[in-house]
Amino acid sequence: QVQLVQSGAEVKKPGASVKLSCKGSGYTFTSYGMHWVRQAPGQRPEWMGWINAGSGDTKYSEKFQGRVSLTRDTSATTAYMDLSSLTTEDTAVYYCVRIGDSSFHFQYWGQGTLVTVSS
Amino acid sequence: DIQMTQSPSTLSASIGDRVTMTCRASQSLSGWLAWFQQKPGKAPKLLIYKTSNLERGVPSRFSGSGSGTEFTLTISSLQPDDFATYYCQQYNGYSGTFGQGTKVEIK
């Protein structure tokens, strides 16, 4: 079965960077795109970016352009999300999300990684 | 960017009630609309995709409908497990935007 297992919680100071991982299993990693979505406390989910796990092509939300970088390691079947210049407003749960088996809906979600930014 | 607006923000209902919530998009979506259920501390769970397609394993009491800019999620007979927050989402091959959510509470 499809599984996305994300790395553990992080605590960062303002101005720092964070790199999160998302390991996919149970499917052909390079055949499906991966989104990253974050959700601040009490807020709606917010799309951050997408990576084609096969080609490595990316697309980013304008809100995060220049501050986020999505990469992947196909041999490790793992996707990564780098977010720089952190502020307290980046405190959120970050999810990786694989697209659907038959279409591009957001079908499979990782368990989420809590990133806390605090001085 | 396409904006998504859900109503109501909160909905109070009883077990067995038929429940309907609405999602409006700022421009036509061509049907690429999904619904998610989220419980505290958990990831969103896909219920409906492409407006009306029920995700595998989701109970048939959930249904989606709509077109253009207005979409609806209906729960035909509310069950205890259904008290949660529901989000609509417009999506395409490369991005997605979520509504602000409708919280279903016990009346």
Side-chain angles (χ1 to χ4, degrees), chain B residues 47-66:
Chain B
L47 300 176
I48 302 282
Y49 62 95
K50 196 69 165 69
T51 300
S52 59
N53 291 273
L54 196 66
E55 171 66 348
R56 282 191 310 264
V58 173
S60 59
R61 63 180 179 273
F62 291 92
S63 64
S65 64

Side-chain angles (χ1 to χ4, degrees), chain B:
Chain B
D1 289 357
I2 300 175
Q3 307 302 316
M4 307 299 294
T5 304
Q6 292 183 241
S7 59
S9 296
T10 306
L11 191 161
S12 297
S14 302
I15 301 299
D17 283 354
R18 181 181 180 86
V19 165
T20 298
M21 61 193 77
T22 298
C23 176
R24 288 187 176 84
S26 59
Q27 62 190 75
S28 180
L29 300 183
S30 302
W32 301 111
L33 190 283
W35 290 94
F36 295 85
Q37 177 193 69
Q38 189 175 34
K39 296 182 179 179
K42 299 294 187 183
K45 174 188 173 185
L46 179 68
L47 300 176
I48 302 282
Y49 62 95
K50 196 69 165 69
T51 300
S52 59
N53 291 273
L54 196 66
E55 171 66 348
R56 282 191 310 264
V58 173
S60 59
R61 63 180 179 273
F62 291 92
S63 64
S65 64
S67 64
T69 61
E70 186 154 335
F71 300 86
T72 298
L73 175 69
T74 298
I75 308 172
S76 60
S77 177
L78 197 66
Q79 299 302 302
D81 192 46
D82 301 338
F83 292 97
T85 299
Y86 294 84
Y87 293 99
C88 67
Q89 182 214 25
Q90 68 83 21
Y91 62 96
N92 55 36
Y94 311 105
S95 66
T97 309
F98 294 83
Q100 83 278 18
T102 291
K103 185 175 182 180
V104 177
E105 296 182 329
I106 301 174
K107 191 172 184 179

Side-chain angles (χ1 to χ4, degrees), chain A residues 23-35:
Chain A
K23 182 171 176 60
S25 63
Y27 69 99
T28 302
F29 182 77
T30 52
S31 294
Y32 297 91
M34 190 84 78
H35 295 276

